Amino acid sequence: MKIRPLEGRRLLTIILVAAFAWSLFNVDWGSGLVNTGGLRAAGHIASSILRPDLSLDVLDKAIRASWTTVAYAVAGLTLALAIGFPLGVLGSGVLFRSSWLRRFNVAGTRLVLAFFRSIHELVWAWLFVVAFGLSPLAAVLALGIPYGGILGRIYSELLQDVPEAPLRALRSAGASEWRVFWFGRLPMALPDMLSYTFYRLECGIRSAAILSFVGLGGLGFQIRISLDDLAYGRVWTFLFFLIALVSLVDVWSSMVRRRITA
Amino acid sequence: MSTVPEIHRFTSIRPPKVTFIGATAIAALGLIVGSWVFVLGADRVQSQPFFSVETLERGGRFLQALLGIGSSSTPAFAQWAAWQDTARLAYQTLAMSVLAIGIAALIALATFMFGASNIMRGELAPYRSWVWGSGFFVVRAFYTFTRAIPELVWAMLIIFMFAPGLLPGALALGIHNAGVLGKLSSEVVEGLDTRPLLALRSSGAGRFQVLAYGVLPQALPRFITYLFYRWELIIRTTIVVGFVAAGGLGLEFRLSMSYFHYTTVTLLLIWYLVLVVAVDLIAAVLRRMAR
């Protein structure tokens, strides 16, 4: 039997298994892995799933918190669009013919976009709350910047992936690079761009819910307060609202995506 | 429209047709306007409005504090000892992210075939009983449930049970991402070309042999792609989960923020960016290996 050299997928398998093993070694498996009474607390939390607190007061809070969460997500996403669209167009480098200018511009924009999105929205939120105070605009800014970075990157890739032939036709008919973009590239990439934006809305709802960790209102804030009160029934009510909200947006966005990209 | 004779186009009265996309556009516009009205209205009742000189000055002071300007002591990011101390935390954070993606991958690998409708209910189903078919809905409900709850909320729940450390954080990240990975991989299986599988079946392979030798090898490459994509996102979220689960950079970030050690915050942010870039590079190398 011939021994095959270690390469490609076999090597990858070994690396992945070894990495997982390494990570397991970093866990302190010694005493005190589980809290004293931790199992009982977990049992309480789990069993409360059947007894969510459905009193009018809690439902009222849940609906208000859901709206706050949606408002942050939508406002944040509009800001992300305002950041991501211009930077995405710049970063795709399609507006320039001179290759030197183009390369410089693409590299610069990509770096800014990468910086925006590599910091998590909650970290942005914390920095903004300390910097600007507990304004809802801090939440919008915190969502808008990383999401703008993600949208910008995806937009620039979609704009580059447009088929070249129709654009060449426009160019040979005498259109300027700006017109080629406006009447050729953008309309062709638009369905995919819109579809991705709608997908991001679903993620935005989840992100908006956790922004409340740093003191901005919303579903996450209510979940945290209820956990502090050990009111597990209330926790589940808010969690069900969050799940329903995310699923609703998920269904809506996938219906939209099917229709505009088909 | 073309079938309607020219003359009738203007004479016949029809209600304007509301398409789904049209309704979506109106709803989206309404949501955007409503949200901004809400956000700006809520800002107005704050003691200090966002668009004011005070807010600007406050932001400026915070930025100076982050950079260590105007402070007499050496900023933390200029001290070698501080770098050495935090390197251990960065190492732990990396381990936590690997553990998290490992947990997510194990859960997703064990379940994703049972979340594909063509295997559970369609032409590839090994059994045609309603028990087997309803397994599809159980698995998909599990994915929806784990996916809809954010990592941080999972961490807040799990920390009730486990002592603070790497494991609860990795579990929280792992559970959420198991739902994401599982859903993505199930959809890969649903999109597979079924012809080779049916050929395998008709040449005598057993029901489960088709799954093991037909479906799995076809789906695995995409699974690996998603795995690395999620890992890149997990490393960004590990610090956030660390806020409550107390593993790695997250706890230190939280403490430094509470004690106003803002130059340490800058140092931790630098480490954070280093980790993000490193993971992106490693994932790119490994992804090339999978081809």
Side-chain angles (χ1 to χ4, degrees):
Chain A
M1 199 182 125
K2 213 171 85 182
I3 296 171
R4 270 189 283 168
L6 267 182
E7 58 170 4
R9 293 189 182 165
R10 293 162 145 261
L11 184 58
L12 182 67
T13 313
I14 292 172
I15 291 176
L16 291 185
V17 171
F20 187 56
W22 164 76
S23 73
L24 283 174
F25 275 116
N26 277 286
V27 177
D28 181 13
W29 294 104
S31 57
L33 199 63
V34 176
N35 283 333
T36 37
L39 278 175
R40 228 183 43 213
H44 272 300
I45 296 178
S47 63
S48 304
I49 193 171
L50 297 173
R51 290 180 271 105
D53 187 345
L54 294 178
S55 60
L56 275 180
D57 177 44
V58 174
L59 286 181
D60 177 57
K61 260 188 204 152
I63 291 170
R64 276 166 202 280
S66 302
W67 165 242
T68 310
T69 303
V70 171
Y72 285 171
V74 173
L77 203 63
T78 23
L79 180 66
L81 266 174
I83 295 173
F85 184 71
L87 286 183
V89 172
L90 272 180
S92 68
V94 295
L95 289 181
F96 305 95
R97 270 192 196 158
S98 124
S99 76
W100 180 83
L101 193 63
R102 183 184 200 150
R103 215 167 295 155
F104 180 74
N105 179 55
V106 167
T109 320
R110 291 258 163 119
L111 202 68
V112 172
L113 288 174
F115 175 69
F116 281 177
R117 68 170 186 275
S118 53
I119 294 180
H120 193 272
E121 51 268 20
L122 189 59
V123 177
W124 279 121
W126 207 338
L127 296 177
F128 286 142
V129 163
V130 176
F132 302 131
L134 268 179
S135 160
L137 281 162
V140 173
L141 217 55
L143 266 183
I145 288 180
Y147 276 56
I150 296 166
L151 287 183
R153 179 191 158 191
I154 301 286
Y155 286 171
S156 66
E157 280 168 9
L158 288 174
L159 284 169
Q160 280 174 339
D161 288 349
V162 157
E164 276 293 323
L167 305 180
R168 246 176 277 145
L170 274 178
R171 248 176 237 133
S172 60
S176 66
E177 209 57 27
W178 177 247
R179 293 235 162 114
V180 168
F181 169 76
W182 204 241
F183 296 107
R185 219 177 260 279
L186 187 61
M188 280 198 279
L190 201 58
D192 282 332
M193 287 164 68
L194 275 179
S195 142
Y196 189 77
T197 314
F198 257 95
Y199 162 68
R200 272 285 138 193
L201 182 64
E202 183 205 331
C203 310
I205 300 269
R206 262 199 307 268
S207 300
I210 61 160
L211 286 188
S212 35
F213 182 80
V214 289
L216 302 154
L219 277 171
F221 187 58
Q222 299 292 347
I223 292 172
R224 202 172 143 217
I225 298 177
S226 312
L227 271 175
D228 287 346
D229 291 352
L230 305 182
Y232 302 131
R234 233 158 60 203
V235 171
W236 281 110
T237 314
F238 295 124
L239 280 179
F240 285 142
F241 265 83
L242 179 60
I243 294 171
L245 210 58
V246 171
S247 310
L248 201 72
V249 173
D250 183 21
V251 169
W252 184 33
S253 80
S254 66
M255 276 166 79
V256 173
R257 271 180 283 158
R258 253 208 315 279
R259 280 178 173 77
I260 52 182
T261 49
Chain B
M1 207 46 126
S2 58
T3 56
V4 181
E6 193 65 17
I7 230 160
H8 288 287
R9 211 192 275 174
F10 302 102
T11 53
S12 63
I13 298 165
R14 302 180 197 174
K17 203 173 157 213
V18 181
T19 60
F20 180 76
I21 293 297
T24 293
I26 292 169
L29 208 66
L31 266 179
I32 290 174
V33 172
S35 307
W36 278 102
V37 167
F38 172 80
V39 165
L40 294 175
D43 181 55
R44 186 119 23 103
V45 296
Q46 298 280 327
S47 57
Q48 186 189 20
F50 185 79
F51 296 105
S52 63
V53 186
E54 289 86 3
T55 304
L56 202 66
E57 280 172 354
R58 189 174 163 179
R61 275 200 303 276
F62 179 56
L63 193 64
Q64 285 184 350
L66 277 181
L67 297 174
I69 298 170
S71 156
S72 52
S73 55
T74 329
F77 53 81
Q79 295 172 19
W80 179 237
W83 279 91
Q84 280 174 321
D85 287 345
T86 43
R88 192 179 46 84
L89 298 174
Y91 176 81
Q92 278 179 1
T93 302
L94 189 67
M96 187 158 142
S97 78
V98 173
L99 187 59
I101 191 67
I103 292 170
L106 287 180
I107 299 177
L109 261 184
T111 54
F112 79 95
M113 291 241 219
F114 308 106
S117 64
N118 52 354
I119 285 180
M120 303 302 281
R121 301 151 50 74
E123 51 185 340
L124 293 170
Y127 304 109
R128 297 216 170 270
S129 73
W130 64 271
V131 180
W132 181 262
S134 63
F136 166 75
F137 294 106
V138 174
V139 171
R140 278 306 177 95
F142 169 72
Y143 289 163
T144 308
F145 179 71
T146 52
R147 206 162 48 94
I149 298 179
E151 300 93 331
L152 187 70
V153 177
W154 275 121
M156 289 187 206
L157 292 172
I158 287 173
I159 205 64
F160 270 83
M161 186 172 165
F162 288 97
L166 278 191
L167 190 65
L171 269 178
L173 286 165
I175 291 175
H176 173 79
N177 281 285
V180 180
L181 260 184
K183 183 191 178 232
L184 289 172
S185 327
S186 295
E187 280 167 1
V188 168
V189 173
E190 284 174 357
L192 283 186
D193 185 2
T194 53
R195 283 170 301 184
L197 306 177
L198 294 176
L200 207 60
R201 184 94 182 85
S202 61
S203 60
R207 300 159 195 269
F208 288 100
Q209 279 176 327
V210 171
L211 296 189
Y213 299 106
V215 175
L216 202 57
Q218 277 199 71
L220 266 186
R222 289 292 292 279
F223 179 80
I224 296 287
T225 310
Y226 287 139
L227 195 72
F228 291 133
Y229 154 69
R230 287 316 296 184
W231 187 37
E232 291 174 1
L233 293 180
I234 283 179
I235 188 71
R236 290 165 169 76
T237 321
T238 314
I239 189 170
V240 165
V241 169
F243 291 165
V244 288
L249 293 171
L251 178 69
E252 194 61 30
F253 185 89
R254 185 179 176 177
L255 292 178
S256 307
M257 283 299 254
S258 340
Y259 294 140
F260 311 113
H261 294 163
Y262 289 136
T263 53
T264 313
V265 168
T266 311
L267 174 63
L268 295 173
L269 283 177
I270 296 172
W271 269 117
Y272 181 49
L273 286 176
V274 167
L275 279 182
V276 168
V277 172
V279 164
D280 282 6
L281 289 179
I282 296 172
V285 170
L286 291 181
R287 206 178 280 136
R288 206 167 304 140
M289 220 177 259
R291 281 204 202 115

